[in-house]
Amino acid sequence: MPPAAKNVLTAADIARLAGVGRAAVSNWRRRYPEFPKPVGGTAQRPVFDREQVEEWLAETGKADQLSTAGRTETGTQHITDLSALVRGIPHDLQEPARGLIHLNPGQLLARVMVSLLPDSTAYVPPDQLDDEDLPLVLDPACAEATLLLAVAERFGGHVRVEGQEIDESAAANAAARLRSSTQGVPYEIHYGDSLLDNQLAPYLGTAAAVVCEPPFHKPQWPMVELDDDPRWRFGVPALRDAELAWVQHCYAHIRPRGMAIVAVSPRTSFQPSGQSIRAELVRSGALQSVIALPTGMGSTPDTGLHLWILQRPSGAFTSPAVNMIDLSGLSDPADVPDEQAVWEGLVHDADPTIFGAVPRRVLLAGDVDLLPSRYVSTHDVARTDEFAHVTDRLRALYTRIGRALPEFAAHPIKLHHDYVSFAELEHTHALKILSRETTPSAGDLLVRTLGRPPVVATGTAADETGVAQVVEINPDRLDPHFVAAFLRADAQALPVANTLGALNRDDLRRCRIPRLSLAEQRRYGDAFRHLQQLQDTINALAKTSSHVIDQTLYALTTGVLTPDFSVAQDTELAGATDDETREL
């Protein structure tokens, strides 16, 4: 007997439950063997046991953040079980995927790009065993060799790598990093301008693969000096289309059946000035795939990236379509596949919310727009009853948040504290200012960059983001939340001149906090902690509300909902029948 409908979830239901796109759910199914197996449905539309899914989301930290953001540890008030009230918060705070916790955005991008190279990249004929005969992988804008190191990690001594970098110190660092790697990969790093002084020219048309993230901070390229260069097989780029010059530069170095994977900014996929070059790339069969990545990868972490996958045709056959893959909706960059088998499964499944094979004639019939979002339907509209259900739960949640707002009694007389400096506290071993390279431990005080307030470390990977100073707190002398709150107030009065926008060690030692007993500190610490947790919950609620409004707008414009609406006049009464509005 099939499971009751209310106890099962489709992939779209899971996406809405966790507040992510369908792409994330598809990747979770492939990346995590322990993800719940389907309990029914069809191969194209499987269904999953709700209880198993909710348990997996909670265990992996991929459940929505409202489930924990409002809890307090003070025993005073608890905003509990919020995950049962409303789903849909984006996962910008979720734990990174396992195995990728320590990777920075550039390393994440490198692993993803290298995973797209076919195994044949490292094929060596049996009669060619010398280093000089090994397949060659190039990076003409190698910076500090992050991409080449990822190549070495995947293929080991079955390839040799070479790169070129315009910045001399970065080139030296690239060579040093490759030299210190234990992969046994033959390497060479060249110094110079890859476009004007191509040190990799001896390998034109011979490389097994090229991987490249061009320098996005240089939108112009030396067009006048190079307008007749044979590398521009698909057309001479406009002055401000430097990325199209880099794309063709990379393509010029690959052998027949060789592959070039180039990161480009989204504008390159639709900029009118590049239309003719894009058309030639499509018409010739050179462009195989375009992948839209989520924000938070590569050297430009605040913007998205596209990966263009190019292959030099061999023979008369060319694929009749260009694969469009849209992963821009993934809230966690670590959920982007980084294994070739996962990419193959993604294409094989052809999930229409992620993948579309667009005929070349279709692309050429228009303005050769290569934005995957134009060809992939990322929206999966909720049912009408789901909108009503979520709206009711939001009303109940707002009511509970309002009740959690604390009321503090006025002090009979204004307090005037006696203050003690961090320098004195350090001298008396109440705290210790550690090296900024120190891995934080739970309970440490973290002074953060970009003017963000200090926080108490939780002992998770989130502690390692944006840390300028780490302060070890002696819990027998100081309450860390008390210290963080009063430091926040004192630090705001100090001018910060460094580029990190954070206190340096000398400034920190001048900061002061009240001299209070540990019991009194804990009273303040409890109050500060409750307020911070409440603020986190309100911020999470704002994100959820925005997500619901976006979905509602989309449903209105697609005909799922009508524009007739009503507004509840008494939100407390509107949610009073729901047991989720119990008193805190």
Side-chain angles (χ1 to χ4, degrees):
M1 187 173 184
K6 67 179 181 179
N7 294 323
V8 298
L9 301 168
T10 65
D13 293 332
I14 297 172
R16 288 193 292 272
L17 185 71
V20 299
R22 283 277 298 278
V25 178
S26 295
N27 280 306
W28 291 346
R29 291 182 62 192
R30 298 183 183 92
R31 182 183 290 275
Y32 303 107
E34 64 276 18
F35 188 90
K37 305 302 180 187
V39 295
T42 65
Q44 290 72 34
R45 188 177 173 81
V47 296
F48 306 83
D49 181 85
R50 175 185 287 273
E51 184 176 344
Q52 293 178 9
V53 170
E54 290 182 344
E55 181 179 352
W56 184 86
L57 290 172
E59 288 179 352
T60 57
K62 296 185 183 297
D64 70 68
Q65 304 302 312
L66 290 180
S67 60
T68 57
R71 294 181 183 171
T72 70
E73 301 170 3
T74 64
T76 53
Q77 292 179 314
H78 289 263
I79 308 169
T80 56
D81 197 26
L82 300 184
S83 61
L85 289 171
V86 62
R87 309 290 184 174
I89 179 171
H91 270 208
D92 46 39
L93 296 178
Q94 74 181 24
E95 180 181 354
R98 288 168 297 173
L100 300 179
I101 290 176
H102 300 295
L103 298 185
N104 61 39
Q107 292 169 323
L108 275 174
L109 178 65
R111 286 187 61 149
V112 168
M113 290 178 67
V114 171
S115 71
L116 289 159
L117 293 174
D119 290 337
S120 59
T121 299
Y123 172 72
V124 183
D127 59 341
Q128 296 180 359
L129 300 178
D130 294 336
D131 285 354
E132 291 300 319
D133 295 323
L134 290 175
L136 176 65
V137 180
L138 303 176
D139 182 354
C142 68
E144 297 189 349
T146 300
L147 275 166
L148 295 179
L149 284 168
V151 172
E153 180 184 356
R154 178 177 172 193
F155 295 111
H158 298 288
V159 298
R160 58 192 178 99
V161 299
E162 291 199 24
Q164 183 167 345
E165 171 55 38
I166 193 171
D167 182 271
E168 188 171 8
S169 62
N173 288 336
R177 294 179 73 192
L178 287 165
R179 184 167 55 250
S180 63
S181 84
T182 59
Q183 306 297 329
V185 177
Y187 72 90
E188 190 169 353
I189 298 296
H190 306 272
Y191 162 60
D193 188 315
S194 288
L195 296 182
L196 285 172
D197 181 20
N198 184 16
Q199 300 289 309
L200 305 178
Y203 307 118
L204 286 166
T206 65
V210 178
V211 288
C212 182
E213 182 187 9
F216 296 112
H217 62 283
K218 294 184 176 180
Q220 296 188 1
W221 69 288
M223 181 180 69
V224 175
E225 297 93 325
L226 298 172
D227 64 345
D228 59 350
D229 195 290
R231 284 173 289 180
W232 322 137
R233 173 178 175 178
F234 304 102
V236 179
L239 180 62
R240 297 189 64 82
D241 283 339
E243 292 172 34
L244 290 176
W246 282 99
V247 166
Q248 296 187 78
H249 175 77
C250 293
Y251 182 85
H253 289 80
I254 55 176
R255 67 192 183 191
R257 297 187 183 275
M259 182 172 287
I261 301 176
V262 189
V264 301
S265 58
R267 62 177 290 276
T268 301
S269 292
F270 67 88
Q271 189 82 352
S273 57
Q275 178 178 338
S276 62
I277 294 177
R278 294 195 303 272
E280 288 304 314
L281 287 166
V282 171
R283 185 178 293 109
S284 68
L287 183 66
Q288 299 291 305
S289 304
V290 179
I291 303 173
L293 298 177
T295 299
M297 302 185 71
S299 60
T300 55
D302 294 331
T303 60
L305 283 179
H306 287 182
L307 298 182
W308 284 13
I309 301 177
L310 303 103
Q311 190 166 31
R312 187 181 293 275
S314 178
F317 175 78
T318 60
S319 169
V322 175
N323 292 335
M324 294 290 178
I325 301 174
D326 190 359
L327 302 179
S328 61
L330 290 177
S331 53
D332 186 351
D335 280 329
V336 178
D338 65 345
E339 298 175 8
Q340 188 184 26
V342 179
W343 287 111
E344 291 173 350
L346 186 150
V347 172
H348 180 266
D349 288 353
D351 186 331
T353 66
I354 303 171
F355 175 86
V358 184
R360 296 181 186 275
R361 56 178 176 75
V362 172
L363 294 172
L364 294 170
D367 52 6
V368 202
D369 188 329
L370 301 181
L371 289 173
S373 58
R374 292 286 299 272
Y375 310 100
V376 174
S377 175
T378 58
H379 286 281
D380 199 354
V381 183
R383 299 186 303 271
T384 304
D385 60 334
E386 289 179 323
F387 279 106
H389 182 62
V390 170
T391 302
D392 286 344
R393 288 169 181 261
L394 273 176
R395 290 194 188 102
L397 181 54
Y398 273 108
T399 298
R400 296 186 69 180
I401 293 295
R403 291 172 181 167
L405 290 170
E407 293 183 10
F408 291 96
H411 206 282
I413 59 172
K414 185 175 181 180
L415 291 178
H416 295 282
H417 295 297
D418 179 24
Y419 286 86
V420 57
S421 70
F422 269 58
E424 182 179 344
L425 290 169
E426 186 176 32
H427 180 71
T428 59
H429 307 293
L431 56 80
K432 182 180 180 181
I433 301 176
L434 306 175
S435 166
R436 60 179 296 181
E437 284 75 30
T438 302
T439 300
S441 300
D444 286 346
L445 177 69
L446 306 181
V447 181
R448 305 170 75 198
T449 59
L450 304 178
R452 292 171 291 194
V455 295
V456 177
T458 60
T460 67
D463 293 339
E464 300 180 26
T465 302
V467 176
Q469 309 290 343
V470 179
V471 182
E472 183 180 70
I473 300 293
N474 181 346
D476 296 328
R477 301 276 302 280
L478 296 171
D479 180 274
H481 292 278
F482 160 79
V483 177
F486 276 99
L487 174 61
R488 175 178 182 171
D490 199 48
Q492 289 176 343
L494 292 177
V496 175
N498 63 53
T499 56
L500 287 175
L503 296 174
N504 60 36
R505 294 166 72 91
D506 291 335
D507 288 336
L508 184 58
R509 289 189 173 99
R510 286 194 289 269
C511 288
R512 307 178 306 155
I513 60 174
R515 193 191 300 271
L516 297 176
S517 68
L518 185 58
E520 191 68 6
Q521 290 179 42
R522 286 172 177 163
R523 288 183 61 208
Y524 278 98
D526 286 346
F528 294 147
R529 185 161 57 249
H530 177 82
L531 289 171
Q532 182 61 58
Q533 291 166 342
L534 183 61
Q535 185 177 52
D536 291 343
T537 302
I538 292 173
N539 290 340
L541 177 59
K543 292 180 181 179
T544 300
S545 301
S546 178
H547 176 76
V548 172
I549 289 172
D550 285 343
Q551 290 292 317
T552 305
L553 286 170
Y554 184 76
L556 281 168
T557 60
T558 54
V560 174
L561 299 177
T562 72
D564 302 314
F565 68 98
S566 61
V567 177
Q569 299 301 311
D570 187 338
T571 56
E572 290 196 24
L573 291 177
T577 59
D578 195 322
D579 61 2
E580 293 155 351
T581 60
R582 293 190 301 264
E583 291 291 339
L584 299 173

